[in-house]
Amino acid sequence: MAQWTAGARPRTLPAALAPVVAGVGVAAAEAASRGGGLDDLSPLRALLALVVSLALQVGVNYANDYSDGIRGTDDDRVGPMRLVGSGAATPGAVKRAAFLAFGVAGVAGLVLAALASWWLLVVGVLSVAAAWFYTGGATPYGYLGLGEVMVFVFFGLVAVVGTVFVLVEGLPAAAWAAGTGIGALACAILVANNLRDIPTDTVAGKRTLAVRLGDARTRGLYVLLVGLAAVAVVAVAAATTWWALLGLGFLAVAGPACRVVLGGATGPGLIPVLGSTGKAELVWALLVAVPLVLAT
């Protein structure tokens, strides 16, 4: 069980919690602008959105473990436990675990679609497909340098805007700004991960964006994404309340991570950056959402 838990990569779970937290905050602000308040938001819908987000994150982690493992990409990987690459679990078992997680996300998403709008089923199918084909299939887009784009779209914009929509059935500007901030930090997690893996990915033929950009420019991209997340806080505040600027407090966590990245850390030295960036994303969400909720 400890190996399966490690294989689920729990350090990435803040990236699944953060979009829902941010979405609830924006939804509360939107409800207040309509003359309502926090009581107008459905706790059941928020909980279902959280289940979808967490299950998709676990599913994509197991799916990546399976796909990279059978390709041999994880044979000399530095970092979290790899079930297939280490031989701790069979590829078939890890694949079943991935689809079990996707199934949980699908059931919760189906209930959400019934409560809010059936077109959410299309979003759900696209989200699962994006999770699987990141490293799965004949031509995984993660091997083509497109991973960061899809993370930004699905773990940023779709996750945040989708949460806001199911709660208020609207698409306010603040939702898109929050989705941008969360998406930027979710991308930063992947950038840090791929920066660490440049040597092994190069040997394995995995042409991630980090491999394509090279070491120096990838480090610059990480800092740029953190900066974009800061700009997004200002955009959310401009659309809601200036108290949301408290969200800039995430820099207290992201700033030291930037110094490690710019300091030239490599291999195991970059592993703490993954955890710090995930924490920064969750702090971003909390420090933006809490003022929005309290202002209702």
Side-chain angles (χ1 to χ4, degrees), residues 1-60:
M1 183 56 67
Q3 290 176 326
W4 279 98
T5 300
R9 304 179 195 179
R11 288 186 177 181
T12 66
L13 296 185
L17 177 59
V20 179
V21 171
V24 169
V26 172
E30 177 64 13
S33 72
R34 299 178 182 181
L38 188 63
D39 292 341
D40 295 326
L41 307 184
S42 166
L44 175 60
R45 294 189 183 193
L47 178 60
L48 288 170
L50 180 60
V51 170
V52 170
S53 188
L54 288 171
L56 282 175
Q57 182 67 60
V58 172
V60 75

Side-chain angles (χ1 to χ4, degrees), residues 140-293:
Y141 64 83
Y143 283 52
L144 302 175
L146 298 174
E148 284 77 5
V149 174
M150 301 304 282
V151 165
F152 179 81
V153 171
F154 286 98
F155 285 93
L157 294 178
V158 170
V160 176
V161 175
T163 298
V164 175
F165 179 82
V166 299
L167 291 174
V168 297
E169 298 189 17
L171 301 173
W176 297 98
T180 297
I182 292 295
L185 290 175
C187 278
I189 296 174
L190 182 58
V191 167
N193 180 80
N194 290 343
L195 173 63
R196 180 199 65 201
D197 293 339
I198 285 177
T200 53
D201 284 342
T202 300
V203 172
K206 187 176 181 180
R207 300 283 293 169
T208 64
L209 183 60
V211 170
R212 292 172 181 272
L213 290 178
D215 185 275
R217 285 186 289 184
T218 299
R219 294 177 191 275
L221 175 60
Y222 178 89
V223 176
L224 179 64
L225 289 168
V226 171
L228 177 59
V231 172
V233 172
V234 178
V236 172
T240 54
T241 170
W242 291 109
W243 283 108
L245 287 177
L246 290 172
L248 291 174
F250 88 95
L251 291 171
V253 182
C258 286
R259 286 196 292 273
V260 172
V261 171
L262 292 177
T266 59
L270 286 167
I271 294 176
V273 173
L274 299 177
S276 295
T277 311
K279 290 176 184 176
E281 184 179 350
L282 185 55
V283 169
W284 190 105
L286 287 169
L287 293 184
V288 168
V290 170
L292 296 183
V293 171

Side-chain angles (χ1 to χ4, degrees), residues 76-182:
D76 298 306
R77 183 76 72 188
V78 175
M81 171 72 176
R82 263 70 170 193
L83 293 165
V84 176
S86 68
T90 65
V94 177
K95 184 178 182 180
R96 287 191 294 273
F99 277 92
L100 176 61
F102 291 147
V104 171
V107 171
L110 184 62
V111 177
L112 264 180
L115 292 173
S117 173
W118 288 108
W119 67 262
L120 290 172
L121 291 178
V122 177
V123 177
V125 170
L126 291 175
S127 297
V128 172
W132 176 255
F133 289 108
Y134 171 56
T135 55
T139 310
Y141 64 83
Y143 283 52
L144 302 175
L146 298 174
E148 284 77 5
V149 174
M150 301 304 282
V151 165
F152 179 81
V153 171
F154 286 98
F155 285 93
L157 294 178
V158 170
V160 176
V161 175
T163 298
V164 175
F165 179 82
V166 299
L167 291 174
V168 297
E169 298 189 17
L171 301 173
W176 297 98
T180 297
I182 292 295

